[in-house]
Amino acid sequence: MKNEQIEIFDTTLRDGEQVPGCKLNTEQKLKIADALDNLGVDVIEAGFPVSSPGDFKSVTEISKLVKNAVVCGLTRAVKNDIEVAAEALKYARRPRIHTGIGTSESHIKFKFNSTPEKIIEQAAEAVAYAKKFVYDVEFYAEDAGRTDNAYLAKVCSAAVKAGATVLNIPDTTGYCLPDEYGAKIKYLKEHVVGIDRVRLSCHCHNDLGLATANAIAGAINGARQIECTINGIGERAGNTALEEVVMILRQHPALNLTTNIKTKNLLGISKMIANEMGMFVQANKAIVGDNAFAHSSGIHQDGVIKNRETYEIINPADVGVTESSIVLTARSGRSALAYRAKKIGYELTKADLDIVYLEFLKFADSCKEVVENDLHRIIEGSKSRLEINI
Ligand code: KIV
Ligand code: ZN
């Protein structure tokens, strides 16, 4: 079966930058946009131009800079938002306006004090208005995750009729289960009028830790664009993490879904975003966390030293990590100790290893990790009892 392309829509500079404390200036945004373009993302959501003069300027400058990716600006279903976004995007080689409105019962009632019929009209009007400025118009049905599927299909059909090129189905509150979100995408594939002319997009939030699983369920059921952020940053608990969806698709070739991402750049860009935003990545974060390729228990270390694949499903080099690390702790075994000793120049015999291991355990019990200097001291301190000539 032929592989199908999943477009990667990066919203680090919009949904990601909404996070308190993560605000970036234009210079930082340009640096990140350039790195995202080099990473191979298909779409860069550069900002929400009407939200502030600073964001307008950033979207304008990013539009001038980006060479390959589509540059996208967010709007509400409001004429002035759309005009301002069009102005900010005017230098983009491939501009896209991303416009939309809340479609769930709670959004219609409490946010807009409106009716389902009026929301459909407003959605179609916004798309048609955006089409006056650009060909590529993405429509979002905010809180689609909690929107009744039959009604959602009607809103989406109206958006397609008005000229939408992409339909974004956000699980804005991170509520859906993967089966439910996948079934929603399947339903839309089967019921939206004109669906063959457009691309369905997943935009999932992580309130229940399901953002990545939901996006993958969406792709399996026919979505062909995934909206995501580097390190999974975004409103509240964040968005689908780019590095996770990309590596899931790559590690599961049977899904027949591929992306254009240069995976070797993943660690570098993750570190860049963490530094620029001051939002550090948890050590156990999949793919890019400090411990993602670190092994500390004796059983795992022994396996990895014999063959990396015993405990690693990803080759660290594929995501830009130099090599797996064998961390020395009180849970480490003899093979890890011998391996690390060899790396710093000590070839221990079996008898020597027994002696050094006892000293190592005494020390390791008193600290969290035994680092290179400690190991030197332990071996040098045991020197008089060893066979080898250090
Ligand atoms: O989560 C959401 O619904 C959004 C939309 C504005 C696309 O970010
Ligand atoms: Zn969002």
Side-chain angles (χ1 to χ4, degrees):
M1 208 166 118
K2 200 171 149 278
N3 278 343
E4 285 194 46
Q5 181 77 22
I6 297 290
E7 299 221 325
I8 295 294
F9 174 117
D10 181 274
T11 183
T12 306
L13 296 175
R14 200 279 295 171
D15 219 323
E17 205 240 8
Q18 284 171 211
V19 175
C22 285
K23 169 123 186 26
L24 301 166
N25 60 36
T26 301
E27 201 188 320
Q28 289 173 305
K29 286 195 177 186
L30 284 169
K31 180 174 164 188
I32 292 171
D34 195 38
L36 289 169
D37 205 23
N38 288 330
L39 179 69
V41 306
D42 300 283
V43 186
I44 296 174
E45 187 162 51
F48 182 11
V50 82
S51 66
S52 75
D55 223 35
F56 179 86
K57 182 174 169 222
S58 298
V59 177
T60 306
E61 296 307 318
I62 291 171
S63 298
K64 290 180 190 165
L65 174 87
V66 169
K67 294 182 193 67
N68 307 305
V70 168
V71 179
C72 176
L74 185 76
T75 82
R76 293 166 296 181
V78 170
K79 280 191 169 172
N80 184 52
D81 284 27
I82 295 170
E83 286 159 13
V84 174
E87 180 62 23
L89 291 167
K90 73 179 177 201
Y91 298 105
R93 287 180 177 83
R94 300 168 67 203
R96 177 182 294 177
I97 291 179
H98 188 191
T99 190
I101 194 161
T103 54
S104 64
E105 243 181 80
S106 102
H107 279 224
I108 296 175
K109 192 163 149 199
F110 301 118
K111 248 177 84 171
F112 302 117
N113 188 21
S114 185
T115 64
E117 293 72 29
K118 281 195 197 142
I119 292 291
I120 295 184
E121 263 173 48
Q122 220 178 319
E125 272 169 26
V127 172
Y129 194 60
K131 281 298 262 198
K132 291 188 190 296
F133 302 95
V134 293
Y135 166 77
D136 193 4
V137 176
E138 173 167 338
F139 170 73
Y140 66 85
E142 196 182 6
D143 205 12
R146 292 188 299 169
T147 300
D148 168 69
N149 286 350
Y151 175 65
L152 187 58
K154 281 193 191 154
V155 184
C156 289
S157 301
V160 174
K161 193 167 172 207
T165 47
V166 181
L167 294 174
N168 178 13
I169 311 303
D171 184 20
T172 306
T173 57
Y175 175 73
C176 289
L177 295 170
D179 282 356
E180 199 180 352
Y181 189 76
K184 192 175 279 289
I185 297 292
K186 186 167 186 282
Y187 182 90
L188 295 174
K189 283 252 4 133
E190 287 162 1
H191 292 86
V192 171
V193 180
I195 194 71
D196 295 340
R197 300 201 295 275
V198 302
R199 189 175 282 271
L200 274 167
S201 180
C202 310
H203 178 113
C204 299
H205 278 268
N206 205 31
D207 300 67
L208 292 171
L210 292 171
T212 296
N214 283 343
I216 295 294
I220 290 171
N221 282 282
R224 288 294 172 265
Q225 177 177 281
I226 293 181
E227 310 201 357
C228 45
T229 59
I230 303 288
N231 299 336
I233 58 160
E235 282 276 353
R236 307 180 307 282
N239 290 58
T240 301
L242 181 148
E243 60 279 5
E244 293 174 11
V245 284
V246 166
M247 290 313 291
I248 289 169
L249 299 181
R250 188 179 156 123
Q251 298 307 115
H252 286 273
L255 293 176
N256 293 114
L257 298 171
T258 57
T259 72
N260 283 327
I261 298 299
K262 294 180 192 121
T263 61
K264 285 189 183 350
N265 293 9
L266 286 174
L267 183 68
I269 197 160
S270 159
K271 289 199 182 302
M272 175 195 278
I273 300 294
N275 288 335
E276 297 294 338
M277 289 190 162
M279 180 86 166
F280 292 99
V281 174
Q282 71 197 53
N284 61 325
K285 168 79 185 60
I287 321 292
V288 292
D290 281 351
N291 291 349
F293 298 95
H295 306 274
S296 66
S297 95
I299 297 172
H300 290 211
Q301 291 176 327
D302 184 50
V304 170
I305 290 166
K306 287 174 176 148
N307 184 325
R308 191 188 59 71
E309 287 179 14
T310 53
Y311 287 95
E312 279 181 1
I313 56 157
I314 298 172
N315 182 345
D318 288 351
V319 296
V321 175
T322 331
E323 60 173 351
S324 325
S325 54
I326 298 291
V327 183
L328 292 180
T329 72
R331 304 291 151 260
S332 299
R334 282 178 174 72
S335 66
L337 179 62
Y339 173 86
R340 286 286 304 273
K342 191 172 173 190
K343 277 204 164 250
I344 56 170
Y346 301 103
E347 282 277 4
L348 301 175
T349 64
K350 195 169 173 310
D352 288 346
L353 188 57
D354 287 341
I355 295 167
V356 176
Y357 187 60
L358 287 178
E359 296 307 315
F360 162 79
L361 279 186
K362 278 187 221 155
F363 183 81
D365 260 337
S366 69
C367 62
K368 287 194 188 296
E369 186 184 335
V370 179
V371 297
E372 208 170 287
N373 277 345
D374 302 326
L375 192 55
H376 267 298
R377 266 199 305 276
I378 293 166
I379 299 176
E380 291 292 332
S382 318
K383 199 167 158 181
S384 58
R385 292 148 61 206
L386 304 183
E387 286 173 358
I388 59 158
N389 195 6
I390 297 168

